[in-house]
Amino acid sequence: MTTTTQDAASALFTDLTGHAPEGVWSAPGRVNLIGEHTDYNDGFVLPFAIPHRTVAAVGPRDDRRIRVAPTFADEPVEVALDELDELFPTPTGTAPRVPEWAAYPLGVAWALRQADGVAPSAATGSGLDIAIASDVPVGAGLSSSAAIEGATASALNDLWAAGLDRTALARVGRKAENEAVGAPTGIMDQMASMLGEPDAAIFLDCRSLDANLVQVGIAEAGLAILVMDTRVKHAHSTGGYGERRAACERGAAIMGAESLRDVSVDDLPRAEELMDDVTFRRVRHVVTENQRVLDTVRVLRDEGARAIGDLLVASHASMRDDFEISIPELDTAVEAALAAGAIGARMTGGGFGGAAIALIEQHAVQQVTDAVTAAFAASGFADPVIFTVTTSAGAHRDA
Ligand code: GLA
């Protein structure tokens, strides 16, 4: 996050209210190193928080109303606290009753008031003004939505004295995303945004929500992670994401398993006999991806970051061929990065657009950037936006 983002949120708050905010909270976007579409299958993921953050400047009001104002929308949205239960949940298949961006912070307020252990009190009855600024690219697969949820949830948790821990706040964010925004996502992004630590990725078991920090040692090995944003926007509240999720549930049911977490690589020959080709390939992606996460964690610990390249490449191939969530721009980014010497590369996030990552030598940043940019131009794609990221801190109070 730049100080500018923090300043922008505080300045907007002051414009809106005529006084300074009570506090400023922020939460990061994330890159997923490996483990895609495994989270809602009770599986494993290995994301890390990135330096890009969303900032919420917040202060209390005494009229039981909530007003949210982001720098990226023209008009603030204001509702009474008591209206939140009428606004949410958003009926399945319909758009939220507020502008979609406002469903994130207002959905968090709604979900937090319902969370286990949060009793109605004078604190949770106080209204709020919330000004939001962000430097997490939107629609790039870097979890700009989890960053809004994390910043808002952290602020409300403090100002409403709700006392929830980070995992509970991640659940609040996910509930907002699923039920207020209407995107049927898993919990990886919210956990990464809440639990991120500098120098580490988060090895998360999405069934138990046990999170272990894994030292990735990328900079120490002389390496860097390059994000290649295709600028093809995606949304998970519509279309392909939900269809993939339904295919996974179908596959688990055919295998008599509670979720695909309970299906192993050794079960795949039987799965192939029992399922149609498409369902089988969706299942094979998730089952092999879970194994790749476990392998990546082991290889990182035993051999270091230089040794995980093949796992990243295999993950991308599985998403391209079996899960079918890649797009030509993502494939081009991955192929051009590898051809320019990247150790490994894969699309990251939910797919259908967004960004790919490449693990590269630190000294090769310009070379790989130029090669990917040239490959996009040769294919007639819009220029990608390419930058490096480092493992960064999770949600916290800034001021
Ligand atoms: C999106 C969702 C996550 C996860 C990824 C795919 O980012 O928000 O829950 O399912 O896609 O791994």
Side-chain angles (χ1 to χ4, degrees):
M1 176 186 65
T2 54
T3 335
T4 339
T5 315
Q6 194 174 324
D7 290 349
S10 294
L12 178 61
F13 184 96
T14 307
D15 275 358
L16 199 67
T17 64
H19 58 87
E22 169 103 5
V24 177
W25 291 258
S26 68
R30 65 97 190 90
V31 151
N32 189 18
L33 196 54
I34 196 161
E36 227 64 84
H37 287 261
T38 45
D39 61 352
Y40 55 78
N41 288 299
D42 282 348
F44 304 104
V45 294
L46 190 61
F48 61 87
I50 58 174
H52 304 71
R53 298 180 80 86
T54 295
V55 182
V58 188
R61 315 169 41 133
D62 55 14
D63 60 358
R64 295 182 59 83
R65 297 182 70 77
I66 297 198
R67 177 166 49 168
V68 282
T71 51
F72 48 80
D74 292 339
E75 294 290 326
V77 169
E78 185 176 325
V79 301
L81 269 186
D82 301 321
E83 254 179 273
L84 291 171
D85 289 337
E86 291 158 31
L87 289 174
F88 306 123
T90 300
T92 312
T94 67
R97 297 180 185 93
V98 290
E100 190 180 90
W101 64 261
Y104 293 95
L106 294 177
V108 163
W110 165 73
L112 205 152
R113 279 158 60 89
Q114 297 184 350
D116 284 349
V118 178
S121 67
T124 60
S126 84
L128 298 164
D129 283 310
I130 305 172
I132 295 169
S134 183
D135 63 10
V136 186
V138 173
L142 301 175
S143 294
S144 56
S145 51
I148 296 190
E149 291 152 5
T152 315
S154 303
L156 272 53
N157 192 43
D158 287 356
L159 289 178
W160 280 352
L164 298 182
D165 65 19
R166 284 166 181 258
T167 299
L169 292 176
R171 286 184 201 273
V172 162
R174 182 197 183 178
K175 186 176 167 84
E177 180 108 22
N178 292 170
E179 297 176 37
V181 179
T185 56
I187 199 163
M188 165 172 73
D189 304 344
Q190 292 77 16
M191 288 292 278
S193 186
M194 289 308 308
L195 273 74
E197 291 285 346
D199 308 324
I202 299 144
F203 172 39
L204 178 68
D205 176 338
C206 298
R207 172 169 274 167
S208 64
L209 294 191
D210 277 350
N212 285 291
L213 297 178
V214 175
Q215 307 302 318
V216 285
I218 287 172
E220 293 77 355
L223 302 176
I225 295 275
L226 202 62
V227 172
M228 304 169 287
D229 176 5
T230 64
R231 292 168 62 212
V232 177
K233 304 286 181 215
H234 70 287
H236 295 322
S237 45
T238 48
Y241 187 98
E243 284 167 22
R244 295 305 181 279
R245 193 173 171 149
C248 293
E249 282 161 14
R250 197 163 63 236
I254 292 171
M255 294 302 283
E258 189 191 324
S259 69
L260 291 183
R261 159 68 174 274
D262 302 314
V263 178
S264 73
V265 173
D266 291 342
D267 295 325
L268 286 175
R270 187 164 72 90
E272 188 165 19
E273 278 171 22
L274 294 175
M275 292 168 201
D276 63 273
D277 175 59
V278 170
T279 310
F280 171 64
R281 286 186 296 113
R282 306 300 188 243
V283 167
R284 181 166 61 185
H285 164 70
V286 173
V287 169
T288 57
E289 185 80 349
N290 268 330
Q291 187 59 48
R292 280 186 289 270
V293 176
L294 298 175
D295 291 347
T296 302
V297 170
R298 181 178 41 75
V299 171
L300 278 172
R301 283 180 178 148
D302 295 352
E303 299 170 53
R306 248 168 219 285
I308 66 169
D310 291 349
L311 288 160
L312 303 183
V313 172
S315 171
H316 185 76
S318 178
M319 290 188 282
R320 183 190 59 211
D321 303 336
D322 274 355
F323 220 56
E324 295 181 283
I325 54 173
S326 189
I327 57 169
E329 288 84 346
L330 288 166
D331 294 339
T332 298
V334 166
E335 281 156 27
L338 290 171
I343 292 169
R346 60 185 286 279
M347 52 150 281
T348 188
F352 306 103
I357 54 169
L359 179 65
I360 61 171
E361 303 287 347
Q362 268 165 19
H363 61 70
V365 169
Q366 197 55 50
Q367 178 189 327
V368 178
T369 302
D370 291 347
V372 172
T373 307
F376 269 56
S379 300
F381 302 148
D383 276 349
V385 177
I386 302 180
F387 50 92
T388 57
V389 289
T390 49
T391 51
S392 303
H396 54 64
R397 185 170 186 161
D398 295 282

